[in-house]
Amino acid sequence: MRVADLIKKKGSTVTALPTTATLAELLEVLDDQKIGAVVVLDGEAVAGIVSERDVVHHLRGGAGSGAALSELMTTSVQTCTMDDDLTHLATTMTQGRFRHLPVVEDGRLLGIISIGDVVKARLDALEAERDHLESYLRQ
């Protein structure tokens, strides 16, 4: 299965904030939308990603909630494309110990996938395969 197949099923909505947004604004968005990460944009370009882990690290360092996202975001963002294979991305995400991958093509943010999305897609595929095999055996 490719990223494009997953985005087609789950949708391409991405929660993003500008680099100038504050930690307090980020916390509000994370809580309101029940999500674990937000893509940080500089104009339309992906400038970073900020996750719950980044927030914990930042707060543990003694910084306040008025800090700009540019101070706590991860700037070396791994991205994927619509053509990437989900099995390969699962390995990449597991080895890199991150849970969110923005989908970017030609500099445009097209979506985001999480490790949960990848696991769900794999489980759905396995269930469909099982159903197919059971159907075959009943014939």
Side-chain angles (χ1 to χ4, degrees):
M1 181 178 238
R2 296 176 315 118
V3 171
D5 302 320
L6 178 59
I7 293 294
K8 186 177 179 180
K9 284 182 183 179
K10 77 169 247 172
S12 60
T13 302
V14 181
T15 300
L17 289 170
T19 56
T20 56
T22 65
L23 175 55
E25 292 171 305
L26 170 69
L27 293 174
E28 187 176 318
V29 168
L30 291 174
D31 187 43
D32 288 350
Q33 297 191 23
K34 308 290 186 251
I35 56 176
V38 170
V39 176
V40 182
L41 298 176
D42 184 7
E44 291 187 24
V46 174
I49 191 165
V50 62
S51 70
E52 297 157 321
R53 290 179 189 172
D54 295 319
V55 171
V56 169
H57 178 73
H58 183 76
L59 292 175
R60 182 174 182 233
S65 62
L69 294 187
S70 60
E71 295 177 36
L72 63 140
M73 68 185 184
T74 299
T75 56
S76 58
V77 181
Q78 290 235 237
T79 63
C80 62
T81 68
M82 291 290 218
D83 290 327
D84 284 330
D85 177 69
L86 291 184
T87 304
H88 171 72
L89 293 182
T91 301
T92 300
M93 294 169 88
T94 302
Q95 289 175 346
R97 300 194 63 173
F98 54 88
R99 298 175 295 188
H100 300 88
L101 273 174
V103 182
V104 177
E105 285 191 4
D106 299 324
R108 291 185 15 245
L109 179 63
L110 301 178
I112 190 166
I113 61 169
S114 70
I115 192 70
D117 296 330
V118 174
V119 169
K120 183 182 180 322
R122 183 65 180 138
L123 289 174
D124 290 347
L126 287 171
E127 187 176 334
E129 184 177 343
R130 182 203 66 210
D131 292 347
H132 175 74
L133 288 171
E134 284 180 353
S135 173
Y136 176 76
L137 290 172
R138 287 183 191 144
Q139 291 181 4

